[in-house]
């Protein structure tokens, strides 16, 4: 069915000028961009966003990285957009990402893997609400 998901171009992707290429892939796929903004993520928002990883050894590094430069926050709408965007990104570790995916094409490390995508309908709802106010998304 029709879904909305939260996508993000991480600081490494923005810094490297990959924003236009990634947005082009999203739009060529046929997803509708219903929200889009470049922003610095406040530390408390980053800690909330990655809350499920709070006990992991890499949590501090992850929060430092994601708050270390501007990101592009994107709300996408489309048929099966949650799993579809994750398929376009490829595996979290770029070494395992299928050819033609964003991470296979543009990333080399798990820590700096260019993009994020919600992993479930629950995560999508939570993350969209964390990054966008109601009035910021298209109807
Ligand atoms: P993402 O899918 O955005 O959500 C969790 C992030 O944690 C993941 O992308 C990776 O970038 C990061 N991550 C996962 N495992 C590791 C790791 N072993 N070292 C550093 N970062 C990691």
């Amino acid at each position: 069915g029709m879904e909305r998901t939260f996508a993000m171009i991480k600081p490494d992707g923005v810094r490297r000028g990959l924003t236009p290429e990634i947005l082009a892939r999203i739009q060529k796929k046929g997803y509708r961009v219903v929200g889009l903004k470049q922003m610095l993520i406040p530390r408390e928002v980053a800690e909330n966003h990655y809350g499920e990883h709070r006990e992991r050894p890499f949590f501090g590094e992850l929060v430092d990285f994601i708050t270390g430069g501007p990101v592009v926050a994107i709300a996408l709408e489309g048929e099966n957009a949650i799993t579809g965007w994750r398929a376009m990104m490829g595996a979290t570790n770029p070494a395992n990402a299928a050819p033609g995916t964003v991470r296979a094409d543009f990333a080399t490390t798990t820590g700096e893997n260019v993009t994020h995508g919600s992993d479930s309908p629950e995560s999508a709802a939570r993350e969209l609400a964390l990054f966008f106010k109601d009035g910021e998304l298209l109807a």
Side-chain angles (χ1 to χ4, degrees), residues 8 10 49-50 53 56 58 61-62 65 86 89 92 103 110-113 115-117:
M8 181 180 20
K10 297 184 182 183
H49 173 72
Y50 282 128
H53 300 298
R56 305 276 197 103
F58 58 80
E61 190 186 325
L62 179 58
F65 165 63
R86 285 181 67 85
M89 290 196 298
T92 302
R103 284 157 173 170
T110 300
E112 302 199 5
N113 59 8
T115 50
H116 167 82

Side-chain angles (χ1 to χ4, degrees), residues 9-112:
I9 306 174
K10 297 184 182 183
D12 56 329
V14 174
R15 195 177 293 126
R16 291 168 56 210
L18 298 175
T19 299
E21 165 99 30
I22 292 167
L23 286 171
R25 289 185 180 211
I26 286 169
Q27 296 193 294
K28 285 190 234 179
K29 170 76 172 175
Y31 296 139
R32 180 172 172 245
V33 174
V34 294
L36 179 69
K37 60 183 169 186
Q38 182 163 295
M39 61 184 286
L40 279 166
I41 306 181
R43 194 160 188 95
E44 59 274 23
V45 172
E47 289 173 349
N48 185 340
H49 173 72
Y50 282 128
E52 66 181 288
H53 300 298
R54 200 174 286 273
E55 306 308 323
R56 305 276 197 103
F58 58 80
F59 182 71
E61 190 186 325
L62 179 58
V63 171
D64 287 346
F65 165 63
I66 211 73
T67 59
V71 304
V72 175
I74 309 162
L76 294 185
E77 182 183 87
E79 195 68 30
N80 297 317
I82 297 170
T83 54
W85 168 236
R86 285 181 67 85
M88 288 177 67
M89 290 196 298
T92 302
N93 181 348
N96 300 326
T101 61
V102 170
R103 284 157 173 170
D105 289 351
F106 302 128
T108 59
T109 67
T110 300
E112 302 199 5

